[in-house]
Amino acid sequence: PLEDGAAEAAVREALESNRVKVAVFDHVTSNTALRLNVRSLAALCRDRGAAVVVDGAHSLGAFDDLDVPALGADYFCGNLH
């Protein structure tokens, strides 16, 4: 598992270059089922003008109350298989 704030710190560091135009995040990772706080990550990216794509393939089974618009992502996708 990630330490609290580790994902946000990594995203902040990546965004410092001002070269990031699109960021893609797993909502729930496939190998460890780690839930990322994509709402927080999306906010960081929006503040720097980067679009956000969330891979929500594993989200439907991991959250009882999935509110896609509240995540703040520009795009939410799944693999549909």
Side-chain angles (χ1 to χ4, degrees), residues 9-22 44 48-50:
V11 169
R12 274 191 209 92
E13 183 178 339
L15 291 169
E16 286 178 7
S17 72
N18 290 321
R19 295 179 61 205
V20 176
K21 303 300 180 207
V22 178
L44 290 171
R48 296 293 205 133

Side-chain angles (χ1 to χ4, degrees), residues 2 7-8 11 15 23-29 34-47 50-59 63 66-77:
L2 292 175
E8 288 82 356
V11 169
L15 291 169
V24 180
F25 303 110
D26 287 340
H27 196 186
V28 179
T29 63
L34 177 70
R35 296 177 180 194
L36 293 176
N37 184 349
V38 294
R39 183 179 297 153
S40 172
L41 300 176
L44 290 171
C45 292
R46 260 194 324 277
D47 289 346
V52 175
V53 179
V54 173
D55 178 349
H58 300 283
S59 301
F63 295 93
L66 181 62
D67 183 355
V68 173
L71 298 176
D74 297 289
Y75 304 95
F76 185 90
C77 62

